[in-house]
Amino acid sequence: MKVTTDTYRHLSLIEIEAKLAEKTSSVVIDGSSLSLSNILSVGRDLADVQFSPDAGVLNRIQTTYEAMMNDVKNGVPIYGCNTGYGAQASHVVNKGLKNKRVEDAWKISEGIIHIDVATGPAFNKEVVRGAMLVRINMLMNGVSAVKLGDLDICRQMLNRRVAP
């Protein structure tokens, strides 16, 4: 079920409360059917997270990643892959042979983890777990060129009860 602004509109507060209280021990994510009760089950109740068995969903993620890597190899500027971020986005690193382009793109990608953008107090683990689930699910749409293996690392973190 895709959750929209109309999803709960026709329900009474008692019915909404009952829906939000629904718990499940496992949540399957596919990029489109995440519900609030799924988020709460993972965030609060530590439900396991599984990827959709739909080969179309998983193939779309892989195909998009491969297309992005092909563009990097061919020197096509891709924000945050072979360009800087923010004000440095016009700085494109796409010179040299294909292997050099990929190596440079990896360095840019790895460099982003060293940037501290944290402000304010830390979130509690339930909120972090819910946010991780929402982010993984959103990336399951297969339009961001993320590797399925990277999404799986985040999924495994949730399943092993690790919250940054």
Side-chain angles (χ1 to χ4, degrees):
M1 171 181 92
K2 188 168 187 168
V3 178
T4 67
T5 55
D6 291 328
T7 302
Y8 298 100
R9 188 170 294 189
H10 67 281
L11 301 176
S12 71
L13 290 177
I14 294 171
E15 292 169 319
I16 292 171
E17 184 176 26
K19 281 208 166 290
L20 294 178
E22 293 174 359
K23 295 180 182 180
T24 182
S25 61
S26 182
V27 172
V28 176
I29 55 175
D30 61 8
S32 64
S33 60
L34 193 62
S35 70
L36 288 174
S37 61
N38 291 152
I39 297 167
L40 293 173
S41 289
V42 171
R44 290 182 182 166
D45 303 319
L46 306 176
D48 282 335
V49 179
Q50 303 303 320
F51 288 143
S52 169
D54 181 348
V57 171
L58 304 179
N59 288 337
R60 188 170 54 245
I61 294 168
Q62 182 64 28
T63 299
T64 306
Y65 173 74
E66 289 171 0
M68 185 267 309
M69 288 305 297
N70 189 49
D71 284 347
V72 167
K73 288 176 186 175
N74 290 317
V76 176
I78 301 172
Y79 179 78
C81 292
N82 57 5
T83 73
Y85 296 91
Q88 297 297 316
S90 63
H91 180 72
V92 181
V93 180
N94 63 350
K95 305 294 184 229
L97 300 174
K98 289 183 179 187
N99 289 346
K100 174 74 168 133
R101 293 178 192 152
V102 171
E103 181 183 324
D104 290 344
W106 280 111
K107 287 178 184 175
I108 291 170
S109 184
E110 289 174 354
I112 192 69
I113 64 170
H114 301 290
I115 297 172
D116 182 7
V117 294
T119 61
F123 288 110
N124 66 38
K125 287 184 180 181
E126 293 84 4
V127 172
V128 172
R129 289 178 54 78
M132 288 173 66
L133 178 69
V134 169
R135 183 67 171 162
I136 298 166
N137 188 65
M138 185 274 310
L139 292 169
M140 292 288 293
N141 283 310
V143 295
S144 66
V146 67
K147 289 188 295 186
L148 183 59
D150 291 344
L151 296 179
D152 194 42
I153 290 169
C154 294
R155 184 190 67 80
Q156 289 180 46
M157 287 176 64
L158 288 171
N159 291 345
R160 293 179 181 163
R161 315 304 183 245
V162 176

PDB file of all heavy atoms in Angstrom, residues 21-49:
ATOM      1  N   ALA A  21      -0.733   0.910  15.630  1.00  0.00           N
ATOM      2  CA  ALA A  21      -0.358  -0.077  16.642  1.00  0.00           C
ATOM      3  C   ALA A  21      -0.076  -1.448  16.025  1.00  0.00           C
ATOM      4  O   ALA A  21       0.453  -2.329  16.698  1.00  0.00           O
ATOM      5  CB  ALA A  21      -1.449  -0.188  17.696  1.00  0.00           C
ATOM      6  N   GLU A  22      -0.419  -1.626  14.735  1.00  0.00           N
ATOM      7  CA  GLU A  22      -0.146  -2.901  14.074  1.00  0.00           C
ATOM      8  C   GLU A  22       1.353  -3.159  14.090  1.00  0.00           C
ATOM      9  O   GLU A  22       2.150  -2.284  13.781  1.00  0.00           O
ATOM     10  CB  GLU A  22      -0.648  -2.873  12.622  1.00  0.00           C
ATOM     11  CG  GLU A  22      -2.138  -2.809  12.490  1.00  0.00           C
ATOM     12  CD  GLU A  22      -2.593  -2.629  11.042  1.00  0.00           C
ATOM     13  OE1 GLU A  22      -1.727  -2.529  10.144  1.00  0.00           O
ATOM     14  OE2 GLU A  22      -3.812  -2.577  10.832  1.00  0.00           O
ATOM     15  N   LYS A  23       1.721  -4.363  14.474  1.00  0.00           N
ATOM     16  CA  LYS A  23       3.129  -4.731  14.543  1.00  0.00           C
ATOM     17  C   LYS A  23       3.377  -5.923  13.639  1.00  0.00           C
ATOM     18  O   LYS A  23       2.517  -6.765  13.453  1.00  0.00           O
ATOM     19  CB  LYS A  23       3.532  -5.082  15.969  1.00  0.00           C
ATOM     20  CG  LYS A  23       3.457  -3.926  16.930  1.00  0.00           C
ATOM     21  CD  LYS A  23       3.855  -4.341  18.322  1.00  0.00           C
ATOM     22  CE  LYS A  23       3.722  -3.167  19.273  1.00  0.00           C
ATOM     23  NZ  LYS A  23       4.100  -3.538  20.640  1.00  0.00           N
ATOM     24  N   THR A  24       4.573  -5.956  13.115  1.00  0.00           N
ATOM     25  CA  THR A  24       4.990  -7.090  12.304  1.00  0.00           C
ATOM     26  C   THR A  24       6.428  -7.423  12.673  1.00  0.00           C
ATOM     27  O   THR A  24       7.179  -6.552  13.099  1.00  0.00           O
ATOM     28  CB  THR A  24       4.851  -6.780  10.799  1.00  0.00           C
ATOM     29  OG1 THR A  24       5.226  -7.929  10.055  1.00  0.00           O
ATOM     30  CG2 THR A  24       5.700  -5.596  10.383  1.00  0.00           C
ATOM     31  N   SER A  25       6.786  -8.690  12.532  1.00  0.00           N
ATOM     32  CA  SER A  25       8.153  -9.089  12.888  1.00  0.00           C
ATOM     33  C   SER A  25       9.118  -8.936  11.718  1.00  0.00           C
ATOM     34  O   SER A  25      10.321  -8.997  11.900  1.00  0.00           O
ATOM     35  CB  SER A  25       8.167 -10.533  13.390  1.00  0.00           C
ATOM     36  OG  SER A  25       7.704 -11.398  12.365  1.00  0.00           O
ATOM     37  N   SER A  26       8.578  -8.730  10.515  1.00  0.00           N
ATOM     38  CA  SER A  26       9.411  -8.579   9.337  1.00  0.00           C
ATOM     39  C   SER A  26       8.739  -7.608   8.373  1.00  0.00           C
ATOM     40  O   SER A  26       7.531  -7.665   8.178  1.00  0.00           O
ATOM     41  CB  SER A  26       9.614  -9.934   8.655  1.00  0.00           C
ATOM     42  OG  SER A  26      10.460  -9.802   7.540  1.00  0.00           O
ATOM     43  N   VAL A  27       9.552  -6.726   7.788  1.00  0.00           N
ATOM     44  CA  VAL A  27       9.057  -5.737   6.835  1.00  0.00           C
ATOM     45  C   VAL A  27       9.787  -5.942   5.515  1.00  0.00           C
ATOM     46  O   VAL A  27      11.006  -6.023   5.485  1.00  0.00           O
ATOM     47  CB  VAL A  27       9.281  -4.300   7.361  1.00  0.00           C
ATOM     48  CG1 VAL A  27       8.954  -3.269   6.299  1.00  0.00           C
ATOM     49  CG2 VAL A  27       8.477  -4.059   8.627  1.00  0.00           C
ATOM     50  N   VAL A  28       9.016  -6.048   4.438  1.00  0.00           N
ATOM     51  CA  VAL A  28       9.581  -6.190   3.100  1.00  0.00           C
ATOM     52  C   VAL A  28       9.521  -4.831   2.423  1.00  0.00           C
ATOM     53  O   VAL A  28       8.462  -4.210   2.372  1.00  0.00           O
ATOM     54  CB  VAL A  28       8.801  -7.234   2.269  1.00  0.00           C
ATOM     55  CG1 VAL A  28       9.347  -7.306   0.849  1.00  0.00           C
ATOM     56  CG2 VAL A  28       8.863  -8.596   2.935  1.00  0.00           C
ATOM     57  N   ILE A  29      10.680  -4.369   1.927  1.00  0.00           N
ATOM     58  CA  ILE A  29      10.712  -3.064   1.275  1.00  0.00           C
ATOM     59  C   ILE A  29      10.915  -3.226  -0.229  1.00  0.00           C
ATOM     60  O   ILE A  29      11.678  -4.065  -0.680  1.00  0.00           O
ATOM     61  CB  ILE A  29      11.780  -2.130   1.887  1.00  0.00           C
ATOM     62  CG1 ILE A  29      13.162  -2.771   1.879  1.00  0.00           C
ATOM     63  CG2 ILE A  29      11.377  -1.715   3.291  1.00  0.00           C
ATOM     64  CD1 ILE A  29      14.268  -1.857   2.352  1.00  0.00           C
ATOM     65  N   ASP A  30      10.190  -2.380  -0.967  1.00  0.00           N
ATOM     66  CA  ASP A  30      10.234  -2.444  -2.426  1.00  0.00           C
ATOM     67  C   ASP A  30      10.282  -1.071  -3.079  1.00  0.00           C
ATOM     68  O   ASP A  30      10.214  -0.950  -4.289  1.00  0.00           O
ATOM     69  CB  ASP A  30       9.039  -3.209  -2.960  1.00  0.00           C
ATOM     70  CG  ASP A  30       7.705  -2.571  -2.593  1.00  0.00           C
ATOM     71  OD1 ASP A  30       7.699  -1.440  -2.052  1.00  0.00           O
ATOM     72  OD2 ASP A  30       6.668  -3.202  -2.841  1.00  0.00           O
ATOM     73  N   GLY A  31      10.379  -0.025  -2.268  1.00  0.00           N
ATOM     74  CA  GLY A  31      10.443   1.322  -2.806  1.00  0.00           C
ATOM     75  C   GLY A  31       9.113   2.029  -2.904  1.00  0.00           C
ATOM     76  O   GLY A  31       9.076   3.216  -3.214  1.00  0.00           O
ATOM     77  N   SER A  32       8.016   1.319  -2.633  1.00  0.00           N
ATOM     78  CA  SER A  32       6.728   1.996  -2.798  1.00  0.00           C
ATOM     79  C   SER A  32       5.663   1.637  -1.778  1.00  0.00           C
ATOM     80  O   SER A  32       4.673   2.348  -1.672  1.00  0.00           O
ATOM     81  CB  SER A  32       6.182   1.727  -4.199  1.00  0.00           C
ATOM     82  OG  SER A  32       5.911   0.357  -4.369  1.00  0.00           O
ATOM     83  N   SER A  33       5.822   0.575  -1.025  1.00  0.00           N
ATOM     84  CA  SER A  33       4.702   0.141  -0.186  1.00  0.00           C
ATOM     85  C   SER A  33       4.953   0.249   1.319  1.00  0.00           C
ATOM     86  O   SER A  33       4.303  -0.418   2.101  1.00  0.00           O
ATOM     87  CB  SER A  33       4.330  -1.302  -0.531  1.00  0.00           C
ATOM     88  OG  SER A  33       5.422  -2.159  -0.310  1.00  0.00           O
ATOM     89  N   LEU A  34       5.861   1.083   1.726  1.00  0.00           N
ATOM     90  CA  LEU A  34       6.168   1.257   3.141  1.00  0.00           C
ATOM     91  C   LEU A  34       5.027   1.995   3.849  1.00  0.00           C
ATOM     92  O   LEU A  34       4.548   3.007   3.361  1.00  0.00           O
ATOM     93  CB  LEU A  34       7.469   2.043   3.287  1.00  0.00           C
ATOM     94  CG  LEU A  34       8.124   2.077   4.651  1.00  0.00           C
ATOM     95  CD1 LEU A  34       8.534   0.679   5.092  1.00  0.00           C
ATOM     96  CD2 LEU A  34       9.336   2.976   4.610  1.00  0.00           C
ATOM     97  N   SER A  35       4.614   1.490   4.987  1.00  0.00           N
ATOM     98  CA  SER A  35       3.539   2.129   5.753  1.00  0.00           C
ATOM     99  C   SER A  35       4.094   2.679   7.066  1.00  0.00           C
ATOM    100  O   SER A  35       5.198   2.328   7.487  1.00  0.00           O
ATOM    101  CB  SER A  35       2.427   1.124   6.046  1.00  0.00           C
ATOM    102  OG  SER A  35       2.874   0.163   6.987  1.00  0.00           O
ATOM    103  N   LEU A  36       3.310   3.519   7.717  1.00  0.00           N
ATOM    104  CA  LEU A  36       3.727   4.036   9.022  1.00  0.00           C
ATOM    105  C   LEU A  36       3.882   2.916  10.041  1.00  0.00           C
ATOM    106  O   LEU A  36       4.808   2.936  10.848  1.00  0.00           O
ATOM    107  CB  LEU A  36       2.718   5.076   9.521  1.00  0.00           C
ATOM    108  CG  LEU A  36       2.724   6.405   8.795  1.00  0.00           C
ATOM    109  CD1 LEU A  36       1.586   7.298   9.280  1.00  0.00           C
ATOM    110  CD2 LEU A  36       4.058   7.107   8.965  1.00  0.00           C
ATOM    111  N   SER A  37       2.999   1.926   9.993  1.00  0.00           N
ATOM    112  CA  SER A  37       3.144   0.817  10.936  1.00  0.00           C
ATOM    113  C   SER A  37       4.416   0.019  10.656  1.00  0.00           C
ATOM    114  O   SER A  37       5.045  -0.493  11.583  1.00  0.00           O
ATOM    115  CB  SER A  37       1.909  -0.082  10.936  1.00  0.00           C
ATOM    116  OG  SER A  37       1.692  -0.648   9.678  1.00  0.00           O
ATOM    117  N   ASN A  38       4.835  -0.081   9.378  1.00  0.00           N
ATOM    118  CA  ASN A  38       6.118  -0.725   9.055  1.00  0.00           C
ATOM    119  C   ASN A  38       7.272   0.046   9.684  1.00  0.00           C
ATOM    120  O   ASN A  38       8.189  -0.550  10.268  1.00  0.00           O
ATOM    121  CB  ASN A  38       6.351  -0.774   7.547  1.00  0.00           C
ATOM    122  CG  ASN A  38       5.439  -1.696   6.791  1.00  0.00           C
ATOM    123  OD1 ASN A  38       5.162  -1.455   5.622  1.00  0.00           O
ATOM    124  ND2 ASN A  38       4.969  -2.754   7.410  1.00  0.00           N
ATOM    125  N   ILE A  39       7.244   1.368   9.551  1.00  0.00           N
ATOM    126  CA  ILE A  39       8.305   2.217  10.099  1.00  0.00           C
ATOM    127  C   ILE A  39       8.373   2.058  11.611  1.00  0.00           C
ATOM    128  O   ILE A  39       9.457   1.913  12.184  1.00  0.00           O
ATOM    129  CB  ILE A  39       8.090   3.688   9.703  1.00  0.00           C
ATOM    130  CG1 ILE A  39       8.183   3.837   8.181  1.00  0.00           C
ATOM    131  CG2 ILE A  39       9.118   4.597  10.388  1.00  0.00           C
ATOM    132  CD1 ILE A  39       7.691   5.169   7.651  1.00  0.00           C
ATOM    133  N   LEU A  40       7.221   2.061  12.254  1.00  0.00           N
ATOM    134  CA  LEU A  40       7.191   1.895  13.710  1.00  0.00           C
ATOM    135  C   LEU A  40       7.642   0.498  14.119  1.00  0.00           C
ATOM    136  O   LEU A  40       8.329   0.338  15.132  1.00  0.00           O
ATOM    137  CB  LEU A  40       5.790   2.191  14.244  1.00  0.00           C
ATOM    138  CG  LEU A  40       5.343   3.648  14.112  1.00  0.00           C
ATOM    139  CD1 LEU A  40       3.877   3.798  14.513  1.00  0.00           C
ATOM    140  CD2 LEU A  40       6.232   4.574  14.918  1.00  0.00           C
ATOM    141  N   SER A  41       7.279  -0.520  13.335  1.00  0.00           N
ATOM    142  CA  SER A  41       7.697  -1.890  13.659  1.00  0.00           C
ATOM    143  C   SER A  41       9.222  -2.021  13.621  1.00  0.00           C
ATOM    144  O   SER A  41       9.814  -2.681  14.476  1.00  0.00           O
ATOM    145  CB  SER A  41       7.071  -2.895  12.678  1.00  0.00           C
ATOM    146  OG  SER A  41       5.688  -3.018  12.905  1.00  0.00           O
ATOM    147  N   VAL A  42       9.850  -1.388  12.649  1.00  0.00           N
ATOM    148  CA  VAL A  42      11.313  -1.452  12.557  1.00  0.00           C
ATOM    149  C   VAL A  42      11.953  -0.532  13.588  1.00  0.00           C
ATOM    150  O   VAL A  42      12.888  -0.917  14.291  1.00  0.00           O
ATOM    151  CB  VAL A  42      11.800  -1.095  11.126  1.00  0.00           C
ATOM    152  CG1 VAL A  42      13.312  -0.933  11.082  1.00  0.00           C
ATOM    153  CG2 VAL A  42      11.341  -2.158  10.141  1.00  0.00           C
ATOM    154  N   GLY A  43      11.435   0.689  13.704  1.00  0.00           N
ATOM    155  CA  GLY A  43      12.028   1.666  14.614  1.00  0.00           C
ATOM    156  C   GLY A  43      11.891   1.296  16.071  1.00  0.00           C
ATOM    157  O   GLY A  43      12.879   1.281  16.813  1.00  0.00           O
ATOM    158  N   ARG A  44      10.689   0.982  16.481  1.00  0.00           N
ATOM    159  CA  ARG A  44      10.416   0.715  17.907  1.00  0.00           C
ATOM    160  C   ARG A  44      10.548  -0.748  18.297  1.00  0.00           C
ATOM    161  O   ARG A  44      11.042  -1.083  19.363  1.00  0.00           O
ATOM    162  CB  ARG A  44       8.990   1.151  18.249  1.00  0.00           C
ATOM    163  CG  ARG A  44       8.776   2.623  18.248  1.00  0.00           C
ATOM    164  CD  ARG A  44       7.342   2.912  18.640  1.00  0.00           C
ATOM    165  NE  ARG A  44       7.079   4.339  18.597  1.00  0.00           N
ATOM    166  CZ  ARG A  44       5.872   4.864  18.621  1.00  0.00           C
ATOM    167  NH1 ARG A  44       4.817   4.097  18.688  1.00  0.00           N
ATOM    168  NH2 ARG A  44       5.720   6.167  18.577  1.00  0.00           N
ATOM    169  N   ASP A  45      10.040  -1.623  17.413  1.00  0.00           N
ATOM    170  CA  ASP A  45       9.898  -3.032  17.783  1.00  0.00           C
ATOM    171  C   ASP A  45      10.976  -3.932  17.192  1.00  0.00           C
ATOM    172  O   ASP A  45      10.923  -5.143  17.351  1.00  0.00           O
ATOM    173  CB  ASP A  45       8.515  -3.537  17.365  1.00  0.00           C
ATOM    174  CG  ASP A  45       7.404  -2.696  17.980  1.00  0.00           C
ATOM    175  OD1 ASP A  45       7.532  -2.324  19.167  1.00  0.00           O
ATOM    176  OD2 ASP A  45       6.430  -2.389  17.264  1.00  0.00           O
ATOM    177  N   LEU A  46      11.951  -3.327  16.488  1.00  0.00           N
ATOM    178  CA  LEU A  46      13.116  -4.034  15.964  1.00  0.00           C
ATOM    179  C   LEU A  46      12.764  -5.138  14.966  1.00  0.00           C
ATOM    180  O   LEU A  46      13.432  -6.182  14.907  1.00  0.00           O
ATOM    181  CB  LEU A  46      13.963  -4.597  17.108  1.00  0.00           C
ATOM    182  CG  LEU A  46      14.393  -3.593  18.182  1.00  0.00           C
ATOM    183  CD1 LEU A  46      15.145  -4.295  19.295  1.00  0.00           C
ATOM    184  CD2 LEU A  46      15.221  -2.476  17.589  1.00  0.00           C
ATOM    185  N   ALA A  47      11.723  -4.916  14.159  1.00  0.00           N
ATOM    186  CA  ALA A  47      11.362  -5.887  13.119  1.00  0.00           C
ATOM    187  C   ALA A  47      12.508  -6.012  12.123  1.00  0.00           C
ATOM    188  O   ALA A  47      13.234  -5.057  11.861  1.00  0.00           O
ATOM    189  CB  ALA A  47      10.090  -5.439  12.398  1.00  0.00           C
ATOM    190  N   ASP A  48      12.671  -7.204  11.572  1.00  0.00           N
ATOM    191  CA  ASP A  48      13.679  -7.434  10.543  1.00  0.00           C
ATOM    192  C   ASP A  48      13.230  -6.793   9.235  1.00  0.00           C
ATOM    193  O   ASP A  48      12.035  -6.647   8.979  1.00  0.00           O
ATOM    194  CB  ASP A  48      13.898  -8.933  10.325  1.00  0.00           C
ATOM    195  CG  ASP A  48      14.766  -9.557  11.405  1.00  0.00           C
ATOM    196  OD1 ASP A  48      15.561  -8.829  12.028  1.00  0.00           O
ATOM    197  OD2 ASP A  48      14.654 -10.774  11.613  1.00  0.00           O
ATOM    198  N   VAL A  49      14.201  -6.462   8.406  1.00  0.00           N
ATOM    199  CA  VAL A  49      13.932  -5.833   7.113  1.00  0.00           C
ATOM    200  C   VAL A  49      14.429  -6.762   6.010  1.00  0.00           C
ATOM    201  O   VAL A  49      15.555  -7.252   6.062  1.00  0.00           O
ATOM    202  CB  VAL A  49      14.641  -4.463   7.002  1.00  0.00           C
ATOM    203  CG1 VAL A  49      14.382  -3.834   5.641  1.00  0.00           C
ATOM    204  CG2 VAL A  49      14.199  -3.541   8.131  1.00  0.00           C
TER     205      VAL A  49
END
